[in-house]
Amino acid sequence: MKCVVTGSNVKVLGKAVHSLSRLGDELYLEPLDDGLTLRTVNSSRSAYACFLFAPLFFQQYQPATPGQDLLRCKILMKSFLSIFRSLAMLEKTVEKCCISLNDRSSCLVVQLHCKYGVRKTHNLSFQDCESLQAVFNPASCPHVLRAPARILGEAVLPFPPALAEVTLGIGRGRRVILRSYQEEEADSTTKAMMTEMSIGEEDFQQLQAPEGVAITFCLKEFRGLLSFAESANLPLSIHFGAPGRPAIFTIEDSVLDGHFVLATLLELDAHSQDLSSSEPHRPVPQLQDHSTLHQDNFASDDIDSYMIAMETTVGSEGSRALPSVSLTPGPQHHCGPGPESEEEDEAEPSPVPGTPPPKKFRSLFFGSILAPIHSPQGPSPVLAEDSDGEG
Amino acid sequence: MPLLTQRIQDESDQYCLVASLDNVRNFSTILKAIHFQDHATCFVTKNGVKVTVENAKCVQANAFIKAGVFQEFLVREEPIIFRINLTVLLDCLSIFGSNPMPGTLTALRMCYQGYGHPLMLFLEEGGVVTVCKINTQEPKETLDFDFCNTNVTSKIILLSEGLREAFSELDMTSEILQITISPDTPYFRLSTFGNAGSSHLDYPKDCDLMEAFHCNQTQVNRYKISLLKPSTKALVLSCKVSIRTDDRGFLSLQYMIKNEDGHVNFVDYYCCPDEDIPQAES
């Protein structure tokens, strides 16, 4: 694989890496015939992000050397990010960026051609090729919002940086409301501040959602995509359904598109409060852990909504599992597994950085919310934010 | 005020060093460039002040502040040598704040009576005078790197802006920084070998950043990155840097720093090469 990015597109690429770095610790780089994909998934697998850069984005794009298979690679996000760390520097000094991947050197080579003829070459070691694939379909989401990224960016600006989750909903008069989300058990004295922003319908290019719907998702990842979309001056679309189902955030351009799939909280008590909920939210059985996630198990597995699952596909060596993340609409008539399976998965050791992701994975959604119903261990057995110890 | 001036004048007879300066920042900035250890040795001669800081017997930094930088510079005996806590000295010099309001200058009068006496600092800003006495210590012998021009094998003069970013982005997971200087490509290369992989930074011989390039023979040397990283302090203040290596692989980095008055000062860093050179992977 070899591709060459020039001019201002280097910064666009750098921005994309910055926004991916808000989610995951590893970057999956996969050249395809229709473009280069950069993907990542967070450690709790509740968020997935993908950027596809079309061949036209590049000055030169060659997905594979003739006669060779397409190569994929997984690298540490930190090391890739460090190349693009300073966006100001990318803009000011970098004229050209070449990324190449080949079998022989067994490293990903990123070369930056800078001003004054200075050349930076980074040889990054990568790990076994694995494909990270999410299966999701924005078209299956009943609700869609689309607005210029700037509108949404300004709306999330006042929220405190430490705030974990934000609720997005349609309030009275079809105003779009963003509100800081607070756990009910939260100590009212420490989380005394509630921020709410309301945006008029006229600011939206598309607003296809009834009054009263609301979803809650992680703000950090959302901010990551927003900052990218803002710098690229693109509109952002939010596709969502009932609480508990993943929300799909998309941006599209002629030469690139970006998809962020974020888990949403399952509202247990329909406490959308004065978002004027017109119908009570039926608690939707949410995503569960799956110990065996072979594709053929999907039908019989206890999935009641979309799920992000590790899918086992056959690798080139036949036996190697290629982990992938899929968000598939599941059959609606099954009920969730009992607490035992949850507990069992809680005890799963965190993946060691550098090992291929395990076939099993933990709760997709925020454990702190799931905990009261599904886990006998009390609140917060799984924290989506706690990614330190995990690969 | 006249009383104070009178007293200072009387006292100045007993000092072997009296130096005064309108703008203390002309002095403190240069000291900051070598501030990577707590203690420093000061040598004072009629030509000026040289402050030396060392670490691990492998790296030495020298700051030269020429007598001309001071408005008054009296030395009664030569040479004056003492050791001082540099951190304390810098704290005292910036006692009125390190970022003064525009238009206000802190003036400095520095006096030293001689061996065993404290270094006296009189700092004045807007009519407020602070007197600091910093105890001096027994001078320690400093390293002699014996870096002489005749043994220099390669010499490069670069505009500092070209190196600044490189040093700030050094992969600190790499234990060493490898410097390659050769008459052919890659001419001047900085390499690191860290956890994530290797990085090379190549500078062409003829570019606007490169003021001079002299090299007859390819030289590859490795230096402990932890020893070289502190030189970034000098690098960010400087406008030009001269990089020299001698036939033993010793490295000399010479930074040209212009102070607010336009005076040119120099800061030197000397560093020993890393002993065991494993076969270079590049």
Side-chain angles (χ1 to χ4, degrees), chain A residues 282-362:
Chain A
R282 187 175 56 88
V284 181
Q286 71 292 347
L287 306 188
Q288 295 300 334
D289 299 83
H290 297 275
S291 310
T292 49
L293 285 166
H294 296 276
Q295 183 134 39
D296 50 353
N297 280 0
F298 277 173
S300 61
D301 232 325
D302 302 307
I303 310 169
D304 208 316
S305 67
Y306 295 87
M307 50 163 276
I308 302 175
M310 298 307 304
E311 188 183 315
T312 306
T313 52
V314 178
S316 48
E317 289 156 37
S319 61
R320 193 176 52 204
L322 301 183
S324 68
V325 170
S326 63
L327 290 138
T328 8
Q332 297 284 323
H333 48 85
H334 293 287
C335 57
E340 311 81 26
S341 74
E342 174 95 349
E343 191 179 25
E344 180 185 299
D345 277 342
E346 295 298 345
E348 275 292 308
S350 313
V352 175
T355 55
K359 281 179 231 164
K360 284 196 260 187
F361 67 101
R362 297 218 214 161

Side-chain angles (χ1 to χ4, degrees), chain A residues 89 119-123 125, chain B residues 165 196-202:
Chain A
M89 179 278 290
R119 187 172 299 188
K120 292 181 191 174
T121 312
H122 300 271
N123 303 305
S125 39
Chain B
E165 188 190 291
S198 60
S199 296
H200 305 286
L201 181 58
D202 298 345

Side-chain angles (χ1 to χ4, degrees), chain A residues 76 79 82-83 85-86 89 93 114-126, chain B residues 159 161-162 165-166 169 189 195-204 206-209:
Chain A
L76 279 179
S79 48
S82 68
I83 300 172
R85 176 90 60 197
S86 162
M89 179 278 290
T93 70
C114 308
K115 231 166 51 173
Y116 304 117
V118 176
R119 187 172 299 188
K120 292 181 191 174
T121 312
H122 300 271
N123 303 305
L124 303 177
S125 39
F126 64 81
Chain B
L159 294 185
E161 63 169 290
E165 188 190 291
E169 287 179 1
R189 163 176 280 197
N195 295 343
S198 60
S199 296
H200 305 286
L201 181 58
D202 298 345
Y203 292 83
D206 308 300
C207 68
D208 295 344
L209 288 175

